[in-house]
Amino acid sequence: SDMLTMSIRKAFVEGFFMQCAHLDESGKHYMTVRDQQMVAIHPSSFLQHKPEWVLYHETVVTDRCYMRNATAIPPEMLIEVSPKFYHPDRCKLHDHAKKMLRRALPRAKSTK
């Protein structure tokens, strides 16, 4: 069910909130939030689209740096689960990431 899927994603975000990445301004590449590294979703991924935000388990480097085990994460969930890190008024991310988070702010249930 949708609620179960969202609950599982929320649990993953609680444990791996630093292992997220967002689309850059071009919409072609992802930037990790931890170290601002340019990454791509691994070709073996089941994701059929390019979500704005993803959570990943690990990165692997071949000819490029890839995120493995990635799942789409709604930005409002990042704000809800980790407001100290993702609230657009407090985060230390790039302006483009802050803009995406600010757009999601009205959908966030609670920002603690």
Side-chain angles (χ1 to χ4, degrees):
S1 85
D2 246 11
M3 271 311 278
L4 178 61
T5 301
M6 290 306 272
S7 295
I8 292 170
R9 286 183 192 182
K10 199 171 214 174
F12 279 131
V13 170
E14 287 173 356
F16 294 98
F17 72 93
M18 289 294 293
Q19 287 178 228
C20 290
H22 60 84
L23 277 175
D24 67 5
E25 289 183 80
S26 73
K28 294 180 182 175
H29 307 284
Y30 284 93
M31 297 295 288
T32 61
V33 298
R34 182 183 302 193
D35 53 8
Q36 303 303 310
Q37 185 175 11
M38 191 183 318
V39 292
I41 294 173
H42 195 273
S44 67
S45 172
F46 287 102
L47 281 175
Q48 300 296 310
H49 66 295
K50 265 191 158 174
E52 259 190 347
W53 291 86
V54 294
L55 177 133
Y56 61 92
H57 178 253
E58 63 184 351
T59 55
V60 288
V61 179
T62 57
D63 57 326
R64 295 168 59 185
C65 190
Y66 291 106
M67 298 176 286
R68 288 192 22 188
N69 305 319
T71 188
I73 296 295
E76 57 271 20
M77 185 183 290
L78 296 171
I79 298 167
E80 291 168 15
V81 172
S82 186
K84 289 181 181 172
F85 193 80
Y86 287 104
H87 194 288
D89 294 338
R90 295 188 283 276
C91 73
K92 300 197 178 2
L93 301 173
H94 283 284
D95 288 341
H96 181 66
K98 286 182 186 180
K99 187 192 292 186
M100 289 188 289
L101 291 167
R102 195 167 306 287
R103 277 198 317 262
L105 196 54
R107 296 188 306 268
K109 289 183 180 72
S110 140
T111 56
K112 297 180 186 171

